[in-house]
Amino acid sequence: KPADFHEPHAVETDDGRIVAQIRYHGNGQRANVRMWQSESADGGKSWSVAGETDLAGLPPHLIRLRDGKLVTVYGRRFGAFGEYACVSDDHGRTWDVANEIKLAGHFSSDLGYPASAEMPDGSILTVYYQAENKGELTCLMGTLWRLKSGE
């Protein structure tokens, strides 16, 4: 149902579509661990039915890089806690989950809400919140990173 979907983020692709990813809290679960995705080919007038992705974490933040690749970043508040990124080479139709990038690990689930921007030199700055050390309050942190050639 619509009330189970929260915190969407969207980006326009080089081929003119809009790709949106959404945090989902349905099926009676307190926090579903996978993001859902929907797409529009008409500037947002109509959308595909949202479907579950293999991206484990939430909420999403999407950017389109200058080379056309899409990057999504998300926090993982279960299992191996931390901030993660995943890349799509085909305008968001598929995501390279097998080569997911761990940007920053963490010791607890109190983390997340990452957002990214591509810097002029091609690196990516991702900011998020989490504590630096156990016993400290959370703060705004960042990771400056870049895709390896061929990613």
Side-chain angles (χ1 to χ4, degrees):
K1 62 187 177 189
D4 293 333
F5 293 91
H6 308 271
E7 301 169 334
H9 197 262
V11 67
E12 186 173 2
T13 64
D14 278 351
D15 65 359
R17 295 168 24 265
I18 300 172
V19 173
Q21 291 179 341
I22 312 142
R23 181 177 186 158
Y24 176 70
H25 288 273
N27 297 332
Q29 299 176 16
R30 187 176 77 76
N32 188 309
V33 299
R34 301 211 187 272
M35 286 184 281
W36 285 49
Q37 184 168 306
S38 179
E39 300 175 11
S40 174
D42 59 8
K45 294 176 187 167
S46 63
W47 291 86
S48 66
V49 173
E52 188 174 11
T53 72
D54 289 328
L55 299 165
L58 33 101
H61 185 267
L62 291 153
I63 62 171
R64 182 184 71 220
L65 302 178
R66 285 188 294 276
D67 66 4
K69 293 178 184 180
L70 298 187
V71 172
T72 185
V73 292
Y74 42 91
R76 184 166 298 149
R77 296 177 174 173
F78 59 90
F81 301 132
E83 312 296 340
Y84 290 82
C86 200
V87 177
S88 173
D89 289 324
D90 61 4
H91 312 292
R93 288 180 177 88
T94 62
W95 293 92
D96 189 5
V97 177
N99 292 302
E100 178 183 62
I101 302 161
K102 187 174 189 176
L103 300 174
H106 198 47
F107 52 82
S108 85
S109 63
D110 191 5
L111 59 82
Y113 290 91
S116 297
E118 186 177 16
M119 302 288 99
D121 69 356
S123 63
I124 301 166
L125 176 62
T126 301
V127 295
Y128 44 89
Y129 90 89
Q130 62 186 45
E132 187 170 2
N133 299 298
K134 289 182 180 181
E136 294 179 351
L137 295 175
T138 59
C139 62
L140 187 61
M141 302 180 81
T143 299
L144 185 63
W145 58 287
R146 67 175 60 246
L147 293 176
K148 295 176 186 171
S149 182
E151 281 188 307

